[in-house]
Each structure stands twice: as C-alpha cells, then as structure tokens.
C-alpha cells in the first residue's frame, strides 16, 4: 500500500468529518474516492496532503514528500505569471533533478503549448485545470491527489482532464476524488465510498460492481428459453428469473459464488443452447446509490 | 523560476515597485520644498491672516519628509507586503505552494525578504532625495547623524514587514492583514503617551531621521532600536508558528 490510514478521525467541534477511516490505496492504482457533497472527501485529501491535521489516528505514506503532488478542485495561480513560468516554478520546487525540458513536455501533454507564454490571468477554467495537472505531474510524482479535477469543467475540458489522468496509470498512484461517478468508473481501478465521514466500501472497482448488494447474472441462449428458466427458478440459490426478450434471462442470485459454482450444472440437463453467461455489471451509480441511500 | 525570482517578478509585473518608489521619492522631493516655502504657502492660503513662521532649518526638511512618509509611505509598504505575504488568502494558491515545500519557512523567507528590501530601498532613495534637496534649499545635514537616522528608519520598516508577516498568518485576506497591521502600528504611538515608555517603542525610530539632525543624540534611539529588533524577531517567529498550524 502506498497510502494507509488507521482509525483516522477529524472533528470540527461537535461535527465529525471523518470517522475512523481505514484507507488502503494500492501502489500504482488509480483510486477513486467518491461520496456525496460533504462526505469528507476533501477533508481526507487535505489531511493526507498535510494541509490539515487529524484529530486522531495515523497515516502512513510510502512516498518521498517531494514526490507527492496535490491538485485542488479549482487551481489558481498568480495571474501575471505565464503558464510556462507556473509549471517551471512547480518543477523547481519538485527538485533540482527534474530537467528543464520536462516543462515543455508536460505543457504539450496538457495541450497548452500554444498558450504557454500567455499570462494565466487570461486562461479559461479548463486551461487552468489542465495547467494545474501539468504543474502537478511535472515533478514525476509517485503519488498524486486530485480533488474533484473535472467537476467544474465543460464536457471537452472534462474529457481532456480524464485523458490526462488515464495517461498517468502505470506511472504513478492517483487518488481521484469526485462525485461524478461516471468519471470514476471510467478512469479508476480501485474505489472508496465515503458517506458522512465513514468509508462504506473500498476495494477493486470490479469487485464493487460485480459483488453489489443483490448480484445478477445474465444468460443469453437460443430460444426456447422457458425450460432453462423453469430449471433456474427451482434452484435454491436463485432468487428470481426474469426473461429479457426471447433470448436472454436475468437471474437474481444469492451470491456470485453460487452462480459461478452451480449455474452451468443447472442449465446442462435442460438441453439449453447457451450462447453466453456472466455476471451483470452494475454501474457505479447503481451501487453507490444502494450503499449510500 | 524559483520562489525568490517569483517575488522579484511580482514587484515588477504588478508595478508595486513604482508605488513604493513613487511615494517615498515624491515625499523626498516635496518635503524639503514645502519646509523651505512653508511661509509663502501659508501666506497664499491664509486669507489675510498674518502668520509668523520661523525660518526653516535643515532638520525641518527631513521632518517634512518623515511626517509624510511615515503615513502614506508606510501604508503603501503595508499593502505591498500584505499582497505578497498573504499567500493563503486564496487557499488554492496556498495549496500549490504549501504542498511543494518541506517547511512553510521556505515560502515565507523570500516574500519577507523581498518585501522588506523593496521597502527599504524605496525609503533610502526617498531619504536621499530629501537629504539632497534639503542641502540645496536649507543647508547641509550632519552626515553620520543622517545616515544613522536612515538606518533607524530602515529598522522600523523591518518591524513593519514582520508585523505584516505575522498578521498574514492569521488573517483570511489581504484587507484583514492590512487592517491588523495598521491597528498594531497605530497602537504603538498611543502606548508611547504613557510616561517615558515612548523612547522604548519602535515608533520612536520614525522620528530619528529628523530628530538626529535636529540635535537629538544618536544613542537616544538605541533602546527603541533594541526593542524593535526583538519585536521583529518575535513577529517572524509567530508568523512561522502560526503558518505551520494553519489549516487550509
């Protein structure tokens, strides 16, 4: 784990912002921290970044401080600096070992080469966000914390930032906080769900989507489907069977493990011509609503 | 680009150096002039009232400079320094800097130093302008005493910038920093009214540039200089401590 916390707690007077959070961020992952507004995402990131102190608990970050970078949700810079100067300042602060050429490299990746010598006071919000990402990655960080990096952007700006984050996969560990679940599902491989300061779930995104509260399986087969449906309804681990047109069944099961173990055995004696079957992938939004409602 | 160059660029591109230099040099040139021609000025606007003003002496030239520079000049110094030192006023900018340095001291030192040096250079140039014009219009000033007076003035500016630094580590925005600093600086002369405390207070140094040429001993300002040095150190220590504890 590159980041782990133990019993991490933050209180503002009587308000508990974080409740004994046990965060585990695998090295090399793109970790999505999701939750409704006020869930504690920004507070958690601020504590990890050293910008706020925890009321209790411990934090372990297995990365050199100089190689940890943070991007706030709406990055701002001195308006009289040029984009290149901002990134160059970030490069200098990241350490003398980072070559000057790296500035132009990250500006190009962020699509800011043409605007590099303009004052950032004239940059659009999307450009500022991309400049923020550029100045965050210029020092080749091991760990990046991005707080709602795409929330305030138009679709084109959001696409650019998501592409930038996706390109970081394999190069660094990214903690990506967002309440835009589609963005998290698109770029993250691990996820943590926060609600009212409590970490309700964390782990690989696939585990969350496949192993949602009531797992479902989809079976695609040649008509007729009724013999297979009748056999499945009789199985004790099947909760319900729902025909989805003439050639597909949606099966609600007690657990994914039951389906993996018994599904083929139930279908075989019916003589059904099975085209495919597999777990139904829930969307992050569905799972999120199940967990947080 | 580094944090030192950033401060230099801030002074140049935001034209703050013009405000600093302009106010001190302007008063440096106008102060002795108004001292020399005070009688004529009063006569012009006196509405027929006869006012007898003693002939101006060289110390009056510096006194005019000091009285103007210690008000508007100081206010400009406070505003310029606050603009630089209140780096947490926009939390996103504070995050950019704070997450990239090992200690908050690394951010404070260039801002504190450049703000002080800019103010000191402007003050010295203004004082030299006043000295030159006083010499031309009213007569020569004692070289050692005038230099000592300039030195005391620079020391007082160091305290002013240190107070701004401490205020910036507590206030939420630039205006708050300016207001806190102004209140602190105004409080000092008020405390000075109490008995003989005045000669120990930093505000006493403001008058050194006119007082020494006027006959006050250079050593008379040493107690205030000592207190000023101590308070400057205290303010910087508080600024570092408060900045470290600050949560964004």
């Amino acid at each position: 784990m590159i980041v782990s916390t133990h019993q991490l707690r933050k209180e503002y007077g009587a308000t508990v912002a974080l409740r004994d959070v046990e965060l585990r961020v695998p090295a090399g992952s793109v970790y999505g921290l999701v939750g409704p507004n006020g869930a504690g995402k920004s507070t958690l990131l601020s504590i990890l970044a050293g910008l706020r102190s925890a009321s209790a608990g411990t934090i372990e970050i297995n990365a050199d401080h100089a190689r940890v970078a943070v991007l706030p949700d709406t990055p701002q810079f001195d308006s009289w600096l040029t984009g290149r100067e901002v990134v160059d300042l970030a490069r200098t602060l990241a350490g003398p070992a980072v070559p000057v050429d790296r500035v132009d490299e990250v500006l190009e990746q962020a699509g800011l080469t043409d605007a590099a010598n303009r004052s950032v006071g004239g940059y659009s919000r999307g450009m500022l966000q991309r400049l923020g990402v550029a100045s965050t990655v210029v020092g080749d960080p091991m760990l990046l914390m991005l707080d709602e990096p795409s929330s305030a952007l138009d679709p084109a700006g959001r696409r650019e930032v998501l592409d930038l984050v996706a390109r970081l996969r394999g190069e660094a560990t990214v903690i990506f906080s967002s309440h835009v679940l589609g963005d998290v599902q698109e770029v993250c491989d691990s996820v943590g769900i926060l609600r009212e300061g409590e970490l309700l779930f964390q782990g690989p995104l696939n585990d969350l989507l496949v192993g949602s509260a009531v797992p479902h399986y989809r079976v695609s087969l040649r008509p007729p489907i009724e013999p297979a449906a009748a056999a499945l309804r009789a199985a004790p681990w099947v909760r319900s069977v729902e025909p989805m047109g003439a050639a597909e069944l949606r099966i609600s099961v007690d657990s994914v493990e039951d389906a993996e173990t018994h599904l083929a055995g139930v279908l075989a004696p019916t003589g059904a011509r099975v085209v495919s079957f597999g777990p139904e992938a829930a969307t992050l939004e569905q799972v999120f609503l199940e967990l947080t409602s | 680009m580094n944090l030192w160059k950033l401060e230099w660029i801030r002074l140049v591109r935001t034209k703050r150096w013009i405000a600093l230099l302009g106010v001190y040099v302007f008063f440096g040139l106008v102060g002795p002039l108004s001292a020399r021609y005070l009688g004529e000025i009063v006569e012009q606007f006196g509405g027929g009232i006869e006012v007898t003003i003693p002939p101006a002496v060289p110390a009056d030239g510096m006194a005019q400079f000091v009285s103007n520079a210690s008000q508007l000049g100081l206010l400009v110094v406070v505003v310029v320094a606050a603009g630089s030192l209140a780096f947490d006023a926009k939390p996103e900018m504070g995050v950019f800097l704070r997450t990239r340095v090992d200690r908050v001291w690394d951010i404070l030192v260039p801002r504190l130093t450049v703000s002080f040096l800019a103010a000191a250079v402007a003050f010295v140039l203004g004082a030299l302008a006043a000295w030159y014009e006083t010499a031309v219009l009213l007569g020569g000033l004692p070289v050692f005493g005038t230099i000592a007076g300039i030195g005391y003035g620079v020391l007082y500016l160091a305290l002013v910038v240190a107070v701004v630094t401490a205020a910036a580590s507590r206030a939420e925005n630039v205006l708050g920093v300016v207001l806190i600093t102004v209140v602190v600086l105004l409080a000092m002369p008020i405390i000075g009214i109490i008995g003989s405390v005045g000669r120990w207070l930093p505000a006493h140094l403001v008058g050194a540039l006119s007082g020494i040429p006027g006959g006050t001993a250079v050593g008379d300002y040493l107690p205030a200089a000592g207190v000023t040095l101590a308070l400057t150190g205290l303010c910087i220590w508080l600024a570092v401590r408060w900045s470290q504890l600050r949560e964004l």
Side-chain angles (χ1 to χ4, degrees):
Chain A
M1 295 292 157
I2 192 165
V3 177
S4 53
T5 66
H6 178 61
Q7 300 279 298
L8 191 68
R9 195 171 178 83
K10 179 67 177 178
E11 294 164 3
Y12 296 107
T15 307
V16 181
L18 293 175
R19 298 169 192 273
D20 305 327
V21 172
E22 302 277 345
L23 192 72
R24 301 282 181 274
V25 180
S29 65
V30 179
Y31 185 104
L33 193 59
V34 299
N37 289 333
K41 304 185 295 292
S42 295
T43 300
L44 180 54
L45 286 186
S46 295
I47 292 173
L48 295 178
L51 296 166
R52 294 182 202 177
S53 57
S55 303
T58 57
I59 302 166
E60 188 180 347
I61 296 180
N62 293 311
D64 181 24
H65 174 70
R67 297 197 63 196
V68 177
V70 181
L71 179 67
D73 53 352
T74 52
Q76 289 188 37
F77 311 97
D78 288 311
S79 59
W80 35 266
L81 286 174
T82 66
R84 176 171 280 108
E85 286 169 338
V86 168
V87 179
D88 194 39
L89 177 62
R91 177 193 67 84
T92 311
L93 295 174
V98 183
V100 181
D101 297 348
R102 181 83 180 124
V103 174
D104 286 327
E105 196 180 310
V106 296
L107 282 167
E108 189 183 348
Q109 284 171 7
L112 291 170
T113 302
D114 291 343
N117 293 321
R118 276 168 40 197
S119 297
V120 299
Y123 277 25
S124 68
R125 201 161 185 175
M127 291 167 80
L128 285 174
Q129 200 82 29
R130 284 184 280 140
L131 182 63
V133 175
S135 54
T136 305
V137 300
V138 70
D140 290 324
M142 284 176 69
L143 172 63
L144 283 98
M145 299 182 216
L146 311 178
D147 188 8
E148 307 263 7
S150 57
S151 60
L153 301 178
D154 60 24
R158 187 182 134 268
R159 178 77 268 143
E160 287 162 352
V161 169
L162 290 179
D163 288 345
L164 278 169
V165 173
R167 280 202 289 272
L168 294 169
R169 189 187 306 282
E171 294 177 15
T173 305
V174 180
I175 303 178
F176 178 98
S177 107
S178 181
H179 62 262
V180 183
L181 300 173
D183 292 354
V184 173
Q185 188 163 359
E186 183 178 332
V187 297
C188 298
D189 46 47
S190 296
V191 68
I193 297 182
L194 269 176
R195 186 191 62 183
E196 294 175 2
E198 196 173 346
L199 197 57
L200 299 176
F201 171 90
Q202 76 174 330
L205 184 61
N206 284 337
D207 286 4
L208 177 68
L209 298 182
V210 173
S212 58
V214 181
H216 290 83
Y217 251 68
R218 291 265 186 170
V219 180
S220 177
L221 64 176
R222 306 281 179 209
I225 61 172
E226 195 45 47
L232 286 167
R233 285 192 187 99
W237 47 272
V238 174
R239 293 186 178 189
S240 65
V241 177
E242 187 185 350
M244 308 293 288
E248 192 174 32
L249 294 171
R250 183 170 188 259
I251 310 160
S252 171
V253 295
D254 284 344
S255 72
V256 173
E257 289 74 22
D258 282 335
E260 288 171 348
T261 307
H262 305 298
L263 183 61
V266 171
L267 291 173
T270 65
R273 295 171 60 194
V274 178
V275 177
S276 65
F277 64 86
E280 181 184 79
T283 65
L284 182 56
E285 187 170 345
Q286 287 170 329
V287 179
F288 177 80
L289 290 173
E290 270 180 38
L291 284 168
T292 57
S293 61
Chain B
M1 176 68 70
N2 57 44
L3 291 172
W4 290 92
K5 192 175 174 190
L6 178 70
E7 291 316 299
W8 172 248
I9 293 177
R10 186 191 309 279
L11 269 180
V12 173
R13 290 196 190 158
T14 60
K15 312 281 192 291
R16 291 174 192 189
W17 71 274
I18 295 176
L20 278 171
L21 207 59
V23 71
Y24 278 112
V25 172
F26 174 76
F27 286 129
L29 295 172
V30 168
L33 202 66
S34 61
R36 167 66 182 79
Y37 296 105
L38 187 61
E40 287 82 345
I41 294 168
V42 170
E43 200 170 282
Q44 191 72 28
F45 298 101
I49 302 166
E50 190 178 326
V51 180
T52 305
I53 295 173
V57 296
D60 294 337
M62 299 311 272
Q64 281 293 328
F65 167 68
V66 167
S67 66
N68 292 322
S70 65
Q71 294 166 20
L72 197 54
L74 263 189
L75 188 62
V76 172
V77 169
V78 170
V79 171
V80 167
S84 168
L85 286 155
F87 56 87
D88 286 329
K90 288 182 180 170
E92 294 82 2
M93 289 172 79
V95 170
F96 177 84
L97 292 167
R98 281 172 175 268
T99 56
R100 285 174 168 80
V101 296
D102 291 329
R103 302 155 302 174
V104 72
W105 174 251
D106 297 335
I107 305 170
L108 283 177
V109 170
R111 289 167 187 253
L112 176 68
T113 309
V114 172
S115 295
F116 164 66
L117 287 178
V121 167
F123 174 77
V124 170
L125 289 176
L128 291 177
W131 190 356
Y132 169 77
E133 201 155 87
T134 297
V136 171
L137 296 174
L138 300 168
L141 293 163
V143 174
F144 174 72
T146 307
I147 291 172
I150 292 173
Y152 285 132
V154 169
L155 183 58
Y156 182 70
L157 285 177
L159 174 68
V160 171
V161 175
V163 172
V164 173
T165 311
S169 64
R170 300 295 286 184
E172 297 285 324
N173 51 46
V174 174
L175 181 62
V177 177
V178 172
L179 289 176
I180 291 173
T181 307
V182 168
V183 167
V184 170
L185 295 179
L186 284 178
M188 281 194 276
I190 294 170
I191 297 170
I193 296 169
I194 308 165
S196 60
V197 179
R199 65 186 295 266
W200 290 85
L201 291 177
H204 188 48
L205 298 180
V206 176
L209 190 52
S210 56
I212 296 172
T216 309
V218 172
D220 188 63
Y221 296 94
L222 283 177
V227 171
T228 302
L229 266 178
L231 285 178
T232 301
L234 177 67
C235 285
I236 293 171
W237 180 81
L238 284 174
V240 173
R241 176 104 184 107
W242 287 336
S243 292
Q244 282 169 340
L245 293 175
R246 186 168 210 164
E247 294 196 347
L248 289 185

